[in-house]
Amino acid sequence: MADRDACPAAVLGIFTVVADTGSTRRGRVNGRSIAVFRAQDVVKTYTMGEVEVHALRGVSLELLERQFVVLLGPSGSGKSTLLNILGALDTPTSGRVWFREHELTAASEHDLTELRREHIGFVFQFYNLIPSLTALENVRLVTDIAQDPMDGREALGLVGLGARLHHFPSQMSGGEQQRVAIARAIAKRPDVLLCDEPTGALDVETGRVVLEALARIHEELGTATVVITHNAAISRMASRVVRLADGRVVADEINTERVSATRVEW
Ligand SMILES: Nc1ncnc2c1ncn2[C@@H]1O[C@H](COP(=O)(O)OP(=O)(O)O)[C@@H](O)[C@H]1O
Ligand SMILES: [Mg+2]
């Protein structure tokens, strides 16, 4: 389906039920779940000299509590652009975006910085760890400035690295470094975890361990999660799959045959 307007009410209804059985901590008004993110007619056009690149051509969607969304699409379809706009790393050319009841497209730079720091966890294809700091120190960079962080050891334990606290990035494999990056992203207990091609640089075996870590965090903390990939196999572990092509949402479906990350193959 093309966008949210084209999304059948029944489907949205199911999303709401899924959300209602979930977290009751936050993001609720009169017992109803508010979307974690809402994008309305988001357009992003890059102008490079004479050339206009239409990265997003009018995207509308909602992300609800506890969803594990795979955002699937070929290279260049606008996935990263959309994720960066949702995560307040970038702004749309037109359209509106909300994080819960806060409109990002009307917020000050100060508020956006605060939002990114407290509420959103980012994981990118390349891990962006500080080489001179241990795993635990890398995580503590974030927990030191967050309001209600979990202990760095606990975060590393959640991704299966409880025994590697004092190792440096150079002493760890790519998959392990990515799990440190995930621990760092979730240690501040974000409302939402945004992952851009988190397994893009990894082989299947290591990639699967990273996906297992994301699934475990989702299960244990209930953090709404978006995983960008061009790899259709990964969508099997999602609760919802949103497909992007040429800057548009071309499908938005609940995955009724969800499999555990251990069974994802590519
Ligand atoms: N900073 C930028 N300047 C110009 N064009 C860009 C920029 N970022 C992305 N694009 C273009 O926007 C389109 C969507 O890019 P992107 O969101 O990165 O896609 P994806 O993540 O799905 O591969 C592509 O055509 C890309 O070349
Ligand atoms: Mg991308």
Side-chain angles (χ1 to χ4, degrees):
M1 57 206 76
D3 55 28
R4 184 169 154 257
D5 294 329
C7 195
V11 173
L12 289 173
I14 292 169
F15 290 163
T16 307
V17 172
V18 169
D20 281 349
T21 58
S23 169
T24 53
R25 285 172 301 143
R26 50 195 172 187
R28 297 174 81 85
V29 172
N30 300 329
R32 282 183 50 244
S33 180
I34 323 174
V36 182
F37 282 120
R38 186 153 67 94
Q40 185 183 301
D41 297 329
V42 168
V43 169
K44 180 72 177 183
T45 308
Y46 295 102
T47 307
M48 307 179 69
E50 309 257 291
V51 182
E52 288 200 332
V53 178
H54 300 280
L56 296 175
R57 298 173 186 266
V59 168
S60 299
L61 63 86
E62 288 188 345
L63 171 69
L64 299 191
E65 293 277 9
R66 296 190 77 93
Q67 286 187 328
F68 192 113
V69 176
V70 163
L71 184 57
L72 184 66
S75 179
S77 56
K79 306 181 298 294
S80 297
T81 302
L82 178 58
L83 202 81
N84 291 344
I85 289 173
L86 292 178
L89 292 171
D90 199 357
T91 53
T93 306
S94 66
R96 300 171 76 184
V97 181
W98 288 263
F99 170 77
R100 301 200 184 285
E101 65 275 35
H102 308 287
E103 184 177 350
L104 302 187
T105 32
S108 67
E109 200 44 56
H110 174 270
D111 288 347
L112 295 178
T113 304
E114 167 94 8
L115 170 86
R116 287 189 298 264
R117 195 173 61 211
E118 292 294 331
H119 298 284
I120 303 179
F122 293 98
V123 175
F124 297 102
Q125 179 172 353
F126 300 103
Y127 331 116
N128 306 317
L129 301 178
I130 310 258
S132 58
L133 299 181
T134 64
L136 186 57
E137 289 165 347
N138 265 283
V139 174
R140 283 189 174 154
L141 278 182
V142 168
T143 57
D144 282 352
I145 58 165
Q147 267 169 17
D148 175 32
M150 66 175 76
D151 183 69
R153 292 165 195 270
E154 184 189 346
L156 284 160
L158 271 173
V159 297
L161 291 177
R164 308 294 299 271
L165 304 176
H166 306 298
H167 288 207
F168 291 92
S170 61
Q171 299 170 317
M172 289 185 277
S173 70
E176 287 161 349
Q177 291 182 58
Q178 186 61 299
R179 284 186 281 149
V180 175
I182 293 169
R184 180 181 58 185
I186 53 122
K188 61 186 172 187
R189 302 182 197 278
D191 292 50
V192 58
L193 186 59
L194 302 178
C195 312
D196 193 345
E197 304 269 8
T199 63
L202 304 173
D203 60 69
V204 183
E205 211 53 53
T206 353
R208 194 182 296 123
V209 177
V210 165
L211 295 176
E212 281 168 30
L214 290 174
R216 176 162 181 211
I217 284 156
H218 181 254
E219 205 170 292
E220 298 207 1
L221 306 180
T223 314
T225 303
V226 181
V227 175
I228 282 188
T229 181
H230 60 269
N231 181 349
I234 293 176
S235 60
R236 297 181 67 214
M237 67 181 281
S239 60
R240 175 183 172 195
V241 182
V242 176
R243 283 173 194 266
L244 225 59
D246 195 22
R248 291 193 175 89
V249 174
V250 293
D252 185 348
E253 289 156 355
I254 288 177
N255 179 13
T256 52
E257 287 163 16
R258 195 170 174 190
V259 303
S260 89
T262 49
R263 292 182 51 211
V264 171
E265 305 262 355
W266 67 88

